[in-house]
């Protein structure tokens, strides 16, 4: 009998949406269930990830097409590298939980770069795997702004309320475009942590045996 492949779960949400907290809670639950989990994030810690972080911090200015291409390169590396790449973990039956993935490229870069081009290069790249599920933690931008103001000394280039408003709208445009081809769940994340977590765990329970 073939070994069952691991599940590939992606979290998306605006800066300040509480992804980190919810990812940690889900991973704890999965481990209690006896699953082996690889917890990861984009941008990665590859050298390209470093170039991306310089741009996010505003140290090196880059346009949306450059950013799209950098995230694409980082994502291919994230999938295929043999040491800690997503693909080799899934093949071994390890579950992968990833903080951000191509949906972020569509929402963040798909505003100033051509959305169709950004989507095509990610979705048609054979080395970029499609997640089993994308969980979008939705909060309005005032709450994001409040949380960013409280938790960060400096803001990254996208961490501005007006920009986040456009990005949130872009996420919803993209989810509409992808509704027949991708498994996307939108969770209201403006509620207490335990309520949001209960919903996230329920979503995970629904896919874990398929
Ligand atoms: P970071 O501070 O690393 O994490 P967080 O997800 O907690 O905010 O920020 C990553 C930033 O990179 C975030 O502003 C979204 C952005 N991003 C893109 O613009 N495109 C992408 O494809 C990805 C993966 C992230």
């Amino acid at each position: 009998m073939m070994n069952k492949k691991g599940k590939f779960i992606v979290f998306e949400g605006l800066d300040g949406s509480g992804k980190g907290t919810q990812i940690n809670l889900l991973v704890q639950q999965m481990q209690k269930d006896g699953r082996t989990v690889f917890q990861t994030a984009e941008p990665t810690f590859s050298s390209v990830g470093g170039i991306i972080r310089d741009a996010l911090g505003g140290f090196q200015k880059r346009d949306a097409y450059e950013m799209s291409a950098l995230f694409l390169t980082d994502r291919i590396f994230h999938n295929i590298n043999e040491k800690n790449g997503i693909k080799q973990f899934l093949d071994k039956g390890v579950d992968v939980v990833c903080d951000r993935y191509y949906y972020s490229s569509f929402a963040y870069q798909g505003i100033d770069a051509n959305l169709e081009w950004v989507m095509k290069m990610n979705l048609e790249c054979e080395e970029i795997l499609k997640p089993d599920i994308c969980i979008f933690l939705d909060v309005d931008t005032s709450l994001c702004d409040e949380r960013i103001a409280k938790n960060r000394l400096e803001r990254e280039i996208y961490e501005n309320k007006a920009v986040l408003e456009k990005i949130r709208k872009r996420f919803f445009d993209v989810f509409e475009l992808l509704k027949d081809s991708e498994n996307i769940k939108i969770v209201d994340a403006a509620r207490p942590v335990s309520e949001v977590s209960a919903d996230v765990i329920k979503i995970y329970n629904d896919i874990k045996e398929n």
Side-chain angles (χ1 to χ4, degrees), residues 15 19 42 56 71 75 100 104-105 108-109 156 158:
D15 311 74
K19 282 184 285 99
E42 293 189 1
L56 291 171
F71 277 113
R75 187 161 300 125
R100 297 193 184 277
S104 278
S105 289
Y108 285 73
Q109 282 67 56
E156 290 185 341
Y158 302 115

Side-chain angles (χ1 to χ4, degrees), residues 75-87:
R75 187 161 300 125
I76 294 172
F77 171 82
H78 197 192
N79 272 268
I80 65 173
N81 93 74
E82 284 171 10
K83 197 163 181 295
N84 60 357
I86 293 170
K87 187 170 184 313

Side-chain angles (χ1 to χ4, degrees), residues 51-65:
I51 298 174
I52 292 173
R53 275 194 199 85
D54 278 348
L56 291 171
F59 302 106
Q60 167 79 62
K61 202 165 164 17
R62 300 214 177 251
D63 90 346
Y65 287 92

Side-chain angles (χ1 to χ4, degrees), residues 11-20 41-45 52-53 56 67-68 70-72 74-75 98-109 118 122 148 152 156-159 164 167 171:
F11 277 77
E12 291 280 1
L14 297 178
D15 311 74
S17 60
K19 282 184 285 99
E42 293 189 1
T44 71
F45 286 97
I52 292 173
R53 275 194 199 85
L56 291 171
M67 291 302 278
S68 306
L70 288 167
F71 277 113
L72 181 83
D74 189 46
R75 187 161 300 125
C98 185
D99 185 343
R100 297 193 184 277
Y101 200 57
Y102 49 52
Y103 314 92
S104 278
S105 289
F106 306 160
Y108 285 73
Q109 282 67 56
V118 182
N122 279 277
I148 293 168
R152 313 250 212 289
E156 290 185 341
I157 53 172
Y158 302 115
E159 291 178 344
L164 289 174
I167 294 169
F171 265 121

